[in-house]
Amino acid sequence: MMRRYLAIATAAVFMVTAGPALAQTPVPTPTPTGQDGDDEPITDLEGGRESALPIIIPVMPTNQVAGTPAGSTDALGRQLAAIIDDDLRNTGLFKTVGPNAARPIAYSEVNAPDYESWGAYSSQALVQGYVRANPNGTLTIGCYVYDVAARRQLIREGWEVQPSEWRRAAHKCADVIYTRLTGDGPYFDSQVVYISETGPKNRRIKRLAIMDQDGANHRFLTNGQRIVLTPRFSPDQRSIVYMGYENRRPAIYVYDMSARTSRLLVQEVNLNFAPRFSPDGRWILFSMATAGNTDLYRVSAGGGAPVRLTNSPGIDTGGSYSPDGSKIVFESDRGGTQQLYVMDANGGNQHRISFGGGRYATPNWSPRGDLIAFTRTGGGSFRIGVMNPSGGGENLLTESWGDEGPSWAPNGRVLMFFRAASGSGRPDLWSVDLSGHSRKIPTPLDGSDPSWGPIRP
Amino acid sequence: MARILTSVVLGVALIATAGCTKKRPETVLPPGDGPTSTTGDTGSGDADTSPLNEQFKREVTSDTIHFAFDQYDIDPEARSILDSQARWLIAHPNTRITIEGHCDERGTREYNLALGDRRANAAKNYLAARGVSPARITTISYGKERPVALGSDERSWALNRRAVTIVIN
């Protein structure tokens, strides 16, 4: 897929690995750093827009304008910078001077920033990358980042990619910048599977669809002839588990990404729904309703006999594993209305963790382990919030008529959810940062039930 | 009180559950393939509009019962509707039915699937208690996926919280 040549911010490692990858790029003179807490974020970005970090992202120059299947290298240089600009700006944590506002740079400048000239932008960080078409048909995209004030190089990375995957290099670059400057993990080079919706409210046509986290490279996986709901990625991203109605039977299916076919997961004819993979990909947690009572079960990802995990009267659903697989959070109305509960992965030690007013639903355990996201309903609104796994520290991030179904970005700091409109019921996809900064995710049609996949391999 | 009634009739359904277990054909679906739906009226829209079902709808008080918000108990109005359905079904012993459970849009998706299942089963249990063999009844929940009233207001939500009986041949 994508070959990563330089994964470094320190000079020593760079010297060892640079040779073959970037032999024909301008010869770098890396500044020795790394003894002064180099891996720490250079600024505290908590708090969102008010303290957003200024960063300059000029068009990425090319050593030579050349045509490629992805377009000419000079056009690509502008598009790559625009993607990095979008990725960073959309977090709410950066104030960007993008490729349309920053002065263009020469290819020879990539390694030797003219710090003096950038002072006028009163910006802290500067991204100078480059694009090069290789004789073997691949593209090399460089991602060099400088601290303008300290006049030193912070990041020196490069990737060789197939032209069809050129956007991933921009996301990789943005991920490295984001990680270095915020201290949080990467999430831009990831995909989202969700339900694409269209049609009248009483006969919505729902299709499984997949796209990059920014909405690019969108494609449909099913054709809309049956209702499909709640898709969720497997940890290895090779399959998607979802619920679908086939021959008037709701059931759980596993879609194979390479074979492009679905198989029935659970043979029992009861209502089976709310599927979600375990972190190791071996199990699928789901809910089964029998005679009006709904409990949590798990089944091997390959199928077989389900193992029952809860047996209380009431609706137990929305199960989600902790990242180490040892615990499960779920919702239950056993106490009267929907509330969140945590139990051991084998069903033991069930205890309630949410106690606020209204209802708590759709829990989703963060891949970082520290938070559980949920939908809280009541008082005419559906809101997305987070709390810690023992139920404390509740923080409501959104408020609208119909926010539902949060799914974590791979870094455990950003959530995607859907927002339905009152009246039409039409949903859109939104993301929200833990700082509360939210934005709409572009989709060709309406969108619901997003599931954010891991960082791509 | 409503819950007590439901659990009393639950016993009837449990006894009969084994009898209505159907062998499910193993399916390998091509991407998105499935039967093309036809238009229904009060139901999911996936239902047959067979002559028999049309006859059923003409001859019973209603094919649809309604529920209060987040409830699944059978109220007096629903009882009288289900009583008329039970009489028809006993008079037509060779028919089978599917009961669809539906919810309004003010619940979360997965919870509503379970709540729709509760509503369909509440109707099934009531019919069974009135002498309709549970083996003739299948249930399906559509959660909030198939509303009949399109507004976002109390009246629409009340219409959408429903269980619909559909006669199949």
Side-chain angles (χ1 to χ4, degrees):
Chain A
M1 300 210 79
M2 174 175 294
R3 293 163 68 195
R4 179 176 187 166
Y5 276 116
L6 294 173
I8 346 307
T10 63
V13 187
F14 170 74
M15 306 281 249
V16 174
T17 58
L22 295 173
Q24 290 160 24
T25 62
V27 177
T29 36
T31 312
T33 55
Q35 287 107 17
D36 53 357
D38 208 35
D39 292 334
E40 295 300 310
I42 62 168
T43 185
D44 179 10
L45 297 176
E46 295 292 335
R49 280 163 290 188
E50 281 66 39
S51 57
L53 176 78
I55 186 167
I56 313 166
I57 310 155
V59 172
M60 292 183 167
T62 181
N63 61 326
Q64 189 178 355
V65 176
T68 81
S72 73
T73 50
D74 56 340
L76 279 173
R78 175 169 292 277
Q79 292 170 286
L80 287 159
I83 292 167
I84 296 164
D85 180 7
D86 285 344
D87 279 350
L88 295 177
R89 180 169 25 82
N90 288 335
T91 64
L93 304 174
F94 294 87
K95 183 167 176 278
T96 59
V97 178
N100 294 326
R103 73 163 174 85
I105 59 169
Y107 187 64
S108 57
E109 267 184 272
V110 171
N111 263 308
D114 179 1
Y115 289 118
E116 208 63 54
S117 74
W118 296 114
Y121 291 81
S122 53
S123 197
Q124 196 163 350
L126 167 67
V127 182
Q128 296 196 147
Y130 65 88
V131 191
R132 195 181 64 212
N134 300 312
N136 66 358
T138 63
L139 299 169
T140 296
I141 286 135
C143 176
Y144 297 1
V145 180
Y146 301 92
D147 182 333
V148 175
R151 300 197 167 198
R152 60 172 186 161
Q153 189 172 54
L154 295 172
I155 294 166
R156 180 180 190 85
E157 298 255 10
W159 297 274
E160 183 181 346
V161 298
Q162 295 300 323
S164 61
E165 297 210 303
W166 68 274
R167 293 185 66 93
R168 291 191 59 193
H171 292 313
K172 285 281 185 207
C173 181
D175 270 333
V176 173
I177 295 166
Y178 177 89
T179 299
R180 181 65 201 282
L181 300 186
T182 70
D184 283 306
Y187 73 95
F188 301 120
D189 185 30
S190 60
Q191 293 179 296
V192 172
V193 60
Y194 76 103
I195 299 299
S196 174
E197 296 191 22
T198 187
K201 192 176 182 180
N202 59 342
R203 293 208 46 76
R204 294 294 276 176
I205 293 165
K206 296 198 168 195
R207 276 183 283 186
L208 214 52
I210 192 170
M211 63 185 185
D212 298 348
Q213 56 80 24
D214 62 352
N217 291 316
H218 187 279
R219 66 191 166 97
F220 295 105
L221 303 181
T222 63
N223 63 15
Q225 289 189 345
R226 60 201 165 97
I227 302 173
V228 289
L229 303 172
T230 63
R232 276 94 191 228
F233 269 115
S234 67
D236 66 6
Q237 304 170 66
R238 289 184 185 148
S239 55
I240 294 163
V241 66
Y242 67 98
M243 186 222 180
Y245 286 73
E246 175 78 2
N247 297 324
R248 271 193 245 158
R249 264 293 149 199
I252 295 171
Y253 297 92
V254 177
Y255 179 85
D256 184 310
M257 294 291 289
S258 49
R260 303 192 174 194
T261 54
S262 291
R263 66 181 160 88
L264 181 67
L265 179 70
V266 182
Q267 302 295 328
E268 279 74 5
V269 294
N270 305 300
L271 170 66
N272 299 311
F273 62 107
R276 188 169 270 133
F277 275 94
S278 64
D280 63 6
R282 291 176 59 209
W283 303 101
I284 292 169
L285 194 59
F286 70 101
S287 294
M288 187 191 297
T290 50
N293 182 44
T294 297
D295 284 306
L296 288 174
Y297 293 74
R298 74 168 191 199
V299 64
S300 165
V307 176
R308 188 172 186 161
L309 299 175
T310 68
N311 58 6
S312 82
I315 294 172
D316 296 343
T317 188
S320 168
Y321 280 96
S322 62
D324 67 0
S326 69
K327 295 195 182 318
I328 293 168
V329 62
F330 63 101
E331 61 169 85
S332 176
D333 70 345
R334 63 184 65 177
T337 59
Q338 289 163 281
Q339 296 289 339
L340 304 188
Y341 292 74
V342 167
M343 65 182 179
D344 298 339
N346 65 5
N349 189 26
Q350 299 178 21
H351 59 281
R352 179 171 165 178
I353 63 162
S354 68
F355 293 94
R359 292 148 205 263
Y360 290 78
T362 77
N364 199 335
W365 210 309
S366 155
R368 218 153 55 174
D370 58 339
L371 292 171
I372 289 165
F374 54 81
T375 306
R376 184 172 171 181
T377 73
S381 64
F382 278 39
R383 311 178 68 177
I384 304 301
V386 294
M387 63 173 63
N388 66 45
S390 52
E394 178 171 335
N395 182 16
L396 293 170
L397 301 173
T398 75
E399 174 157 27
S400 91
W401 182 83
D403 291 353
E404 183 179 337
S407 173
W408 289 99
N411 71 350
R413 146 143 210 171
V414 184
L415 290 156
M416 198 175 290
F417 60 96
F418 70 93
R419 171 170 291 174
S422 174
S424 72
R426 292 177 58 181
D428 287 312
L429 299 188
W430 287 70
S431 71
V432 63
D433 183 86
L434 288 179
S435 69
H437 175 72
S438 66
R439 61 178 288 263
K440 187 176 172 307
I441 307 296
T443 50
L445 303 167
D446 300 341
S448 62
D449 293 0
S451 170
W452 208 322
I455 287 289
R456 297 177 70 182
Chain B
M1 176 174 154
R3 281 181 192 240
I4 291 168
L5 168 67
T6 315
S7 49
V8 169
V9 277
L10 235 166
V12 182
L14 284 177
I15 293 161
T17 312
C20 52
T21 304
K22 261 192 326 190
K23 178 102 176 96
R24 180 187 186 87
E26 207 162 317
T27 334
V28 177
L29 299 165
D33 258 357
T36 306
S37 307
T38 53
T39 307
D41 16 304
T42 56
S44 68
D46 294 338
D48 295 344
T49 48
S50 67
L52 193 59
N53 190 53
E54 293 303 312
Q55 181 193 343
F56 170 77
K57 283 159 66 174
R58 278 195 309 274
E59 294 175 2
V60 297
T61 310
S62 171
D63 64 347
T64 301
I65 60 170
H66 293 100
F67 299 86
F69 175 71
D70 198 15
Q71 298 298 313
Y72 58 104
D73 53 295
I74 307 294
D75 67 15
E77 187 184 344
R79 270 202 286 279
S80 107
I81 291 168
L82 290 175
D83 285 341
S84 79
Q85 293 183 8
R87 284 191 297 273
W88 192 95
L89 290 166
I90 289 163
H92 299 78
N94 293 325
T95 55
R96 293 169 41 82
I97 57 170
T98 291
I99 304 175
E100 296 180 348
H102 298 272
C103 304
D104 67 31
E105 62 190 356
R106 297 316 278 160
T108 47
R109 190 179 317 287
E110 291 174 341
Y111 179 83
N112 274 2
L113 289 169
L115 179 59
D117 180 73
R118 273 180 171 168
R119 287 175 175 163
N121 274 282
K124 172 181 174 174
N125 294 337
Y126 186 91
L127 291 175
R130 283 290 180 275
V132 180
S133 165
R136 297 168 62 192
I137 309 172
T138 56
T139 58
I140 183 168
S141 172
Y142 284 97
K144 59 177 171 180
E145 303 307 312
R146 286 291 182 259
V148 282
L150 304 187
S152 291
D153 48 66
E154 292 296 341
R155 184 179 146 71
S156 298
W157 296 331
L159 289 170
N160 290 333
R161 295 188 294 258
R162 68 200 194 278
V164 183
T165 303
I166 296 157
V167 177
I168 51 182
N169 292 320

